[in-house]
């Protein structure tokens, strides 16, 4: 279990846990993006795009990655990472530690400059991949693969909710630090 670095940030984290539990955990039969079956679904987009949660998400994630030296930008595979990266960008400016954001497209654009990474120039720079939830880590690792191909140095994957289903091991096996703000214990859920 992660605890935020200040009482104020821990209060933000506890409030976010309550919002997730009340409004973003759905019970039923679901197929996850990994293809795995689950009896609950944590729909973080309901909150990463919600005015009550997004500022706290920015603060919590900024705190989570705060100990990593030399990071200049955050982002990840579109769509899940986009609102998180933007929340971190805004909170980092407010905190006086500005970070840029980037978006990794699933495929390169077939027009214009043909870019697969939009936003901050990441070539030669240390970056953190962010994600809302992670089951196998494959979305984050796809972003890492694209970032490395473009000359960036991804150093960590930071998720809001760790489903505790193998993503951490996959990310660490790829040589990256794994960080999670909230895990299933915090939400009173069992791994599936």
């Amino acid at each position: 279990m992660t605890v935020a670095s200040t009482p104020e940030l821990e209060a933000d984290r506890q409030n976010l846990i309550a919002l997730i539990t009340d409004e973003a955990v759905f019970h039923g039969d679901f197929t996850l993006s990994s293809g795995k079956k689950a009896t609950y679904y944590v729909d973080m987009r309901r909150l990463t795009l919600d005015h009550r949660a997004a500022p706290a998400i920015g603060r919590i994630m900024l705190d989570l990655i705060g100990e990593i030296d030399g990071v200049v930008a955050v982002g990840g595979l579109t769509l899940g990472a986009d609102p998180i990266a933007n929340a971190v960008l805004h909170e980092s400016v407010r905190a006086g530690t500005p970070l840029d954001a980037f978006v990794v497209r699933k495929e390169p654009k077939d027009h214009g400059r043909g870019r697969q990474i939009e936003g901050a120039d990441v070539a030669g720079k240390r970056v953190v991949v962010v994600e809302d939830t992670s089951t196998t880590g494959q979305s984050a690792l796809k972003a890492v693969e694209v970032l490395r191909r473009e000359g960036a140095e991804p150093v960590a994957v930071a998720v809001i909710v760790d489903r505790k289903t193998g993503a951490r091991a996959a990310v660490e096996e790829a040589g990256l630090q794994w960080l999670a703000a909230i895990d299933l214990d915090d939400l009173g859920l069992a791994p599936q």
Side-chain angles (χ1 to χ4, degrees):
M1 181 169 91
T2 302
V3 176
S5 67
T6 68
E8 296 81 10
L9 285 167
E10 184 57 23
D12 276 345
R13 198 178 82 81
Q14 292 302 319
N15 290 335
L16 181 59
I17 289 167
L19 274 173
I20 293 168
T21 301
D22 293 345
E23 299 185 27
V25 176
F26 296 88
H27 296 274
D29 294 318
F30 300 97
T31 301
L32 306 175
S33 63
S34 64
K36 290 187 175 190
K37 302 291 184 189
T39 58
Y40 62 82
Y41 182 73
V42 182
D43 186 358
M44 284 305 299
R45 287 183 189 96
R46 288 182 61 98
L47 296 176
T48 60
L49 296 165
D50 185 298
H51 72 280
R52 297 168 299 160
I57 288 169
R59 289 188 294 273
I60 292 163
M61 297 302 281
L62 184 62
D63 182 54
L64 192 64
I65 66 173
E67 298 296 315
I68 304 172
D69 288 333
V71 171
V72 299
V74 297
L77 198 62
T78 198
L79 175 78
D82 301 350
I84 303 164
N86 282 318
V88 171
L89 175 145
H90 289 286
E91 287 302 321
S92 73
V93 171
R94 189 192 59 74
T97 56
L99 296 173
D100 288 322
F102 59 87
V103 172
V104 178
R105 294 174 180 273
K106 292 179 181 171
E107 299 295 330
K109 281 175 53 174
D110 62 358
H111 59 282
R113 294 173 56 203
R115 296 173 53 100
Q116 193 165 1
I117 302 173
E118 300 290 352
D121 176 14
V122 296
K125 297 178 181 162
R126 290 170 59 86
V127 301
V128 171
V129 172
V130 294
E131 195 167 39
D132 52 6
T133 62
S134 193
T135 304
T136 63
Q138 293 312 300
S139 293
L141 291 174
K142 180 172 183 174
V144 166
E145 177 186 325
V146 172
L147 287 159
R148 285 177 172 161
R149 189 173 60 236
E150 296 295 322
E153 183 187 347
V155 294
V157 171
V159 299
I160 299 172
V161 176
D162 179 2
R163 292 182 56 91
K164 291 186 160 183
T165 51
R168 178 182 189 149
V171 166
E172 289 177 344
E173 187 176 306
L176 301 159
Q177 183 177 356
W178 172 263
L179 301 164
I182 296 167
D183 65 26
L184 296 183
D185 295 336
D186 295 315
L187 300 175
L189 298 169
Q192 299 186 73

